[in-house]
Structures are given as structure tokens and as C-alpha cells.
Amino acid sequence: THKPPSLSGTLQEVDLVTVLRASQTISEEIVLSNLLKEIMQIVIQNAGAQKGYLILEKNDSLFIEAEGHINKKDIKVLQSIPMESSSDLSAGIVNYVRRTMEIVVLKNAAEEGLFVSDPYVTENHPKSILCIPILKQKKLNGILYLENNLLTDAFTKERLEVLSLLAVQASISLENAKLYEDVEQRVIQLQMADEEQRRLYSQLIQSQKMEAVGRLAGGVAHDFNNILTTIIGYCELTNNRLSENDPLRENIETIWAAADKAAALTRQLLTFSRKQLIEMKVVNLNEIIKNMGKMLIRLIGEDIGVDLKINRPVGNIPADPGQLEQILMNLAVNARDAMPFGGRFTVETKDVYLDENFTRNHEEVVIGNYVMLKVSDTGEGISPELQEKIFEPFFTTKEKEKGTGLGLSTVFGIVKQHNAHIFVNSEKDRGTTFKIYFPVVDESISEAEQSDKEKIPHGSETILIVEDETTVRQLISETLKNLGYNLLEAGSGDEALGLINNCAQDIHLILTDMILPGMKGPELIKTIKPKLPDAKVIYMSGYTEDIIKSENYSKEGVIYLQKPLMPSILARKLREVLDDPGKGVAA
């Protein structure tokens, strides 16, 4: 059940996980009548509104199809809204949105905008009004009307961004629900409701769900990673300036740990939607497990025995070390929760050759050499009917406060990004075993990759920082000034061009965000390069799809840094690019 919004005159902050769960709820409902009610209830709950209406267009008229917290008087008036009327339910605003397909936000409806004299506004005196078109491929699917009678400016920029993303999800779900109704009708008419058709349709819905939730996750992650860059960055800078015995270190480290958890959640969201940028290196799985041994033991807990069977040598694999650690931690947490009364947790590695007999039963696997990562527990096990769902995002059998449902979907996303394969074998009350097969490469690990804990390097070059988020720009500036660099700072592409035109000194490197007001980072670099042909470039982004879609993504020599940034990582990457003639040279 959905409680009505608070009438206290205050708004709760937008919660990332709550919004993502709301998006998941919308994406799963395929019965149109239920979906309309669900959309309205979720929006009212998260928007800061007191009441609202979901309006759909039928036969050139607008009709209320779902409502939230309206009274009986309103219900009688709102049975139907003629297209050209402006006398009912602020239909002037609704029709304006229908014609223009633009979002209308009124911070104080009775005192501003085109609709001050609208009869509904004059009679009811709503403080804040928000009207959002629900579009699908530039076609109007419906209109969402919300109002708050207590607060002015109730629909903040943050809430508007979230609601706009939810509107995209609502539009996709409406299309899916209509498609589902059509398919169901056809199945009944033709009596073709066989299992294969249902399976294919279920796959279609799951694919659309993943893309929609991934789009929402990515949009939130972009802003979230800027915030986390500031928190994590200043935690590191502050911690480096405190003595070992300073009592404030514990406070800083607690904040840092909390921010790291938030960053991990964001990475999980991007990973299961396959939009996490990975940095592939030649690594050895045994070394990664060995380095994580103590952490895994602490993570599992004292009442569970841990066996690390990694004594035999195994081949090297191309992988992102951080992502492999993520796999191990997620599987360890999963195993721990499956053994509430204790048990054994085992991690094993082994070189294997997957032959024709194996690939005959697993068509997606290519014959060849692999390193197998086997992770087992002696816990409660997973029933056969649940094994088909365990890799779905947000699916969880845990209590609400004990799991997000992202752990195994994150593992699955990482495995697929590494061209690897994962299989699960489990029996109820007899434990679970995950086997992951990573392709082997005939390459050695370089000494440079094995040792990266050197002191933070300094420099004296001139760096141009282009970043529109003020706190992030200040953090980068403070970090690099302390390391000896000369700095120029700009908050937009136009401002950067102005600095370059008036700058007499050589600029050795440009550190720019991918998304900037006015022009994007790559566009800025194309404009700058003729003037500064020798300047190197590093791109930054809080949302990796911006990087992946860049035309330079696959070019050799192009360098990207993913937010949230840590000052030490930024400093090392900066020195690495400046010292290597082949890096950071492409525009």
C-alpha cells in the first residue's frame, strides 16, 4: 500500500535505491489497468506532490486514467477533459503541454507564468504545479499532472530529473503493456499460447526492462559520481594531512567508507546494465585471490570456515582486477547470507580445457583453454525454480533491508564483459557452487603492472582543467597545485576557449569532462587542437556510456578517467600520460 504524501510542508530527500526500485516495479507490471495505478502511486510517493493525475489521449480528447489522492468533487469534474477546454483541472496547462510537448514547472502557480488566470488555478490556488509529457519516439503517450498546495518550488531540479527518467520508463512500460494486451488477444484468438512463444516474449520484456533500468541508473550515476568525487577526494586529501594518532582520522575514514559503498552501488548499477567502463590488463587470478584473502575472511565472518585452494599455478587472463574483486566479494556476501548458522566457504582455481563434449551442451562456449574460478558454500541452496531468476536485477530472496538484489546481476554483467561464462549448481539445503570460466592468454604480467604503489608523483607542467561542477573543479585544482603544476581553470567550453586565446604560456595537457554546458568535451578538443597541437588530453566522465559512445573510444592513445576520482589516481594517471609520448595524443 502507498501512503499519501506528508502534509507537514517539508519534503524528504530523493533516495537513489527507492527510485530505482520504483522504476523496477513499473517495468515489471504488464497489465495496463494495474500499471496506470502503479505509475500514479509511485510518482505521488516520490515527487513531493500532494495529488496528481495521469492523463491519456483517446479520440482527440484527454481522459483521466489514474489519479492520486483526489476528492469526490474532483472525480466528478474530471471524468473527461475536452481538448479545447481550459476550465477544468487546469486544462489550459494540460493542453499547452499536449501542443508543445514541453515540461511545465510553476514554482508558484498563483503568481507566475501563462496560467495565472486559469479558472482552476484561480479557484484552487495550487502553490506548485508540474506537468510532464510522456513521450515515446516523439509521440505523446500521455501527460502527468502534479501539484502541491502547501509548498512553493516543491518540484526541485533533482526531483524533476528523477521524474523525467521515470516518465521515460513509464512510456516504455505503457508500450509494453499495450503490446502485451495485443499479444494476449492474438494468442487467445489463434490458440497459440505455447511455451516457446511465451519464453520469447518474456525475453523481449526482460531486455527492454534491462535497458530502461540501465538508462535510469546511468542518468542518476552521472550526477551521483560528481558528488562522490568531491566526498572521496576531500576525504583522501584530509586524511593525508592528519597524523596517525589524530582522533579525526576515524571520522574521516568512516565518511570515506560510506562514500565508497555509494560508489560501489553506482558501479553495480552500471555493471549489470553493461555500461561500466572496464580497464583490461593481463592478470593472474591466484594473485588477486591471495591479495584478497584477509578481506574475504573478514567479510565471511568468524563462524564460517574459509578455504582458498589456489596453490597450483594457473594461466594468465585478460581482466579488470577491480571487477574480479567485485565478483569475489559479491559471491562471498551471497555465500555468507546463505549460511546463517555457519558452514564452509571455498574458493578454488584451476586450469581447464573445455572440449567438444562440454561445448556441445553449452553452445555459447568456445573450445579452448580457460581458468576456472570455483566458489562454493555449504548453505541453504537455491531451489530449481529460483535458479532461473538469480541473475535478474533487483531479484532477491533476502529481507528488504538485507539486500538490493544487485549482487548476482552484477557478477553476471562482469562475467559477460570479460567474454567469460558462469554456471550455477545448487540443491536445497546442500549448498551452492558457482563456476566461472575465463579465457586464457599467452602473455606475461609486466613488472610495471605488478608494482603501482609508488609515491604520488609531482610535476611542473601547465594543465587546463575544464569541469562545470564547481566542487569537483576545486578538488582537482587543490590536488594538482599541491603537486607543483601550473593551472588554468574553466567551467565551460566557451570559457576554456577564451582562456586559450588570452594565454601566453604553453599548455601541456587538457583535463576535460565529457559533458559540458554549451559543448561536449570532444567537441571542445576538436576546436582547441589546431591552436594547441602538442597538448595532451585526458577525458573525465561520471557516466561511462558518454565515453563508450564517443567516436574516439577505440582510438589508440585516447585516455579516459571514470568518476568518482581519487586524487592519488588522478595524479598518477596525469604523470603517466605526460611522460608517455604515445598517450593522450588523440583528440
Side-chain angles (χ1 to χ4, degrees):
T1 58
H2 294 262
K3 298 179 181 178
S6 170
L7 301 182
S8 64
T10 60
L11 292 176
Q12 294 182 339
E13 293 183 4
V14 176
D15 178 70
L16 175 62
V17 173
T18 300
V19 171
L20 289 167
R21 285 191 181 277
S23 175
Q24 176 71 4
T25 300
I26 292 174
S27 70
E28 288 181 334
E29 182 58 68
I30 54 177
V31 178
L32 185 59
S33 58
N34 294 341
L35 173 63
L36 294 171
K37 293 177 183 177
E38 198 69 55
I39 291 173
M40 199 65 253
Q41 289 173 328
I42 286 172
V43 167
I44 289 286
Q45 194 73 14
N46 292 280
Q50 289 180 299
K51 65 179 180 179
Y53 314 86
L54 183 61
I55 305 164
L56 299 184
E57 182 176 341
K58 296 179 182 178
N59 301 322
D60 292 330
S61 292
L62 300 178
F63 291 88
I64 302 295
E65 296 291 343
E67 48 77 18
H69 309 302
I70 66 173
N71 55 44
K72 291 182 179 179
K73 177 184 174 183
D74 281 332
I75 292 175
K76 185 176 180 180
V77 174
L78 302 172
Q79 294 301 318
S80 175
I81 306 172
M83 283 294 296
E84 301 304 323
S85 171
S86 62
S87 59
D88 298 328
L89 179 62
S90 197
I93 298 175
V94 172
N95 277 292
Y96 175 82
V97 171
R98 182 202 176 265
R99 289 193 303 271
T100 64
M101 297 191 189
E102 296 176 356
I103 296 175
V104 170
V105 185
L106 300 179
K107 296 182 180 181
N108 191 338
E111 297 181 7
E112 67 172 0
L114 300 173
F115 310 102
V116 172
S117 59
D118 186 287
Y120 179 87
V121 174
T122 304
E123 180 179 346
N124 292 280
H125 308 291
K127 293 288 187 182
S128 301
I129 289 180
L130 174 62
C131 205
I132 301 179
I134 300 176
L135 304 175
K136 176 65 174 179
Q137 296 179 343
K138 298 184 179 180
K139 178 184 176 183
L140 187 71
N141 267 0
I143 296 173
L144 180 63
Y145 175 91
L146 301 169
E147 67 177 63
N148 189 307
N149 291 332
L150 291 180
L151 297 175
T152 59
D153 199 17
F155 306 112
T156 60
K157 179 182 178 183
E158 179 187 19
R159 290 183 179 276
L160 181 58
E161 289 174 352
V162 170
L163 285 172
S164 296
L165 290 166
L166 284 174
V168 172
Q169 175 63 71
S171 179
I172 294 171
S173 298
L174 284 170
E175 289 292 314
N176 289 344
K178 292 174 184 176
L179 175 61
Y180 183 81
E181 282 192 343
D182 293 340
V183 170
E184 286 293 284
Q185 287 293 328
R186 185 168 179 80
V187 166
I188 292 170
Q189 290 170 0
L190 302 177
Q191 297 182 343
M192 295 174 61
D194 63 282
E195 197 63 34
E196 181 63 15
Q197 284 180 319
R198 290 186 178 276
R199 185 183 68 81
L200 292 173
Y201 183 73
S202 176
Q203 288 178 346
L204 171 64
I205 295 298
Q206 179 66 12
S207 174
Q208 291 174 330
K209 183 197 309 181
M210 286 285 286
E211 180 173 348
V213 177
R215 188 183 306 150
L216 176 63
V220 174
H222 181 274
D223 294 332
F224 210 52
N225 278 331
N226 273 331
I227 297 170
L228 290 173
T229 292
T230 305
I231 298 172
I232 292 172
Y234 278 109
C235 280
E236 183 180 10
L237 290 182
T238 304
N239 212 42
N240 290 341
R241 293 170 184 170
L242 297 175
S243 66
E244 287 292 332
N245 300 321
D246 195 306
L248 290 178
R249 285 183 73 92
E250 185 175 349
N251 293 349
I252 294 297
E253 288 170 358
T254 300
I255 296 170
W256 197 343
D260 278 340
K261 287 182 180 179
L265 174 60
T266 306
R267 285 194 298 272
Q268 284 183 323
L269 295 171
L270 294 175
T271 298
F272 83 72
S273 60
R274 315 267 179 95
K275 289 172 182 172
Q276 172 76 356
L277 190 67
I278 60 175
E279 296 184 28
M280 302 293 275
K281 303 176 182 178
V282 177
V283 299
N284 190 276
L285 194 52
N286 279 1
E287 292 301 315
I288 289 174
I289 296 172
K290 191 183 301 181
N291 293 335
M292 289 188 67
K294 291 183 180 179
M295 181 189 298
L296 288 174
I297 291 171
R298 288 198 301 268
L299 195 62
I300 284 290
E302 295 179 356
D303 57 341
I304 297 175
V306 177
D307 296 325
L308 302 181
K309 297 181 179 180
I310 56 171
N311 295 325
R312 73 180 86 188
V314 294
N316 295 330
I317 61 174
D320 182 322
Q323 299 278 31
L324 294 184
E325 291 175 357
Q326 187 79 50
I327 288 176
L328 287 163
M329 286 192 293
N330 285 7
L331 292 180
V333 169
N334 211 59
R336 180 197 65 194
D337 294 343
M339 298 183 285
F341 305 107
R344 297 209 70 79
F345 174 70
T346 304
V347 179
E348 181 181 352
T349 59
K350 184 180 179 182
D351 280 327
V352 296
Y353 179 78
L354 301 182
D355 58 16
E356 189 175 337
N357 290 331
F358 187 91
T359 59
R360 187 180 298 117
N361 298 321
H362 304 89
E363 294 181 359
E364 72 276 21
V365 179
V366 177
I367 295 174
N369 293 308
Y370 293 80
V371 173
M372 179 189 70
L373 171 64
K374 181 180 177 181
V375 180
S376 307
D377 66 65
T378 59
E380 299 169 341
I382 307 168
S383 63
E385 60 270 18
L386 293 183
Q387 287 183 37
E388 297 180 0
K389 300 180 179 180
I390 59 173
F391 294 122
E392 291 183 11
F394 298 105
F395 176 79
T396 180
T397 58
K398 300 174 186 177
E399 297 176 21
K400 184 176 180 181
E401 301 300 324
K402 292 186 178 180
T404 62
L406 293 176
L408 289 179
S409 62
T410 298
V411 170
F412 185 81
I414 295 172
V415 167
K416 291 305 176 185
Q417 281 187 305
H418 283 73
N419 295 317
H421 309 282
I422 183 168
F423 303 100
V424 59
N425 181 35
S426 183
E427 293 183 42
K428 197 67 176 169
D429 299 322
R430 298 191 67 177
T432 300
T433 297
F434 290 92
K435 291 183 179 180
I436 305 174
Y437 297 94
F438 295 95
V440 172
V441 291
D442 189 20
E443 295 181 35
S444 59
I445 304 171
S446 68
E447 293 182 5
E449 295 291 355
Q450 294 176 8
S451 177
D452 61 351
K453 294 187 177 181
E454 67 275 6
K455 292 182 179 179
I456 297 177
H458 289 57
S460 58
E461 291 90 347
T462 298
I463 312 294
L464 170 60
I465 304 167
V466 191
E467 166 63 63
D468 60 307
E469 191 69 32
T470 304
T471 54
V472 175
R473 190 171 67 250
Q474 289 173 344
L475 170 69
I476 295 172
S477 176
E478 184 175 344
T479 299
L480 299 185
K481 278 181 181 176
N482 291 336
L483 296 174
Y485 293 99
N486 298 312
L487 302 179
L488 299 171
E489 301 178 34
S492 67
D494 290 336
E495 190 177 339
L497 292 174
L499 282 174
I500 291 168
N501 291 333
N502 297 311
C503 181
Q505 56 187 312
D506 291 335
I507 295 176
H508 300 92
L509 185 142
I510 303 162
L511 179 65
T512 179
D513 196 27
M514 290 286 292
I515 303 300
L516 296 168
M519 70 174 73
K520 293 186 177 181
E523 183 184 350
L524 169 65
I525 297 303
K526 281 185 178 180
T527 307
I528 288 176
K529 266 299 182 179
K531 301 177 182 180
L532 300 173
D534 298 326
K536 295 195 169 187
V537 178
I538 297 178
Y539 292 108
M540 303 177 290
S541 180
Y543 179 29
T544 51
E545 190 169 19
D546 296 333
I547 294 175
I548 294 168
K549 287 183 176 179
S550 168
E551 62 183 44
N552 290 329
Y553 175 57
S554 59
K555 283 187 180 179
E556 188 175 353
V558 179
I559 303 297
Y560 299 98
L561 277 175
Q562 185 180 346
K563 297 175 181 176
L565 298 175
M566 285 182 61
S568 56
I569 293 175
L570 171 63
R572 291 193 180 100
K573 180 61 71 173
L574 199 68
R575 194 68 261 158
E576 176 188 324
V577 171
L578 286 168
D579 292 341
D580 189 331
K583 292 187 175 181
V585 294

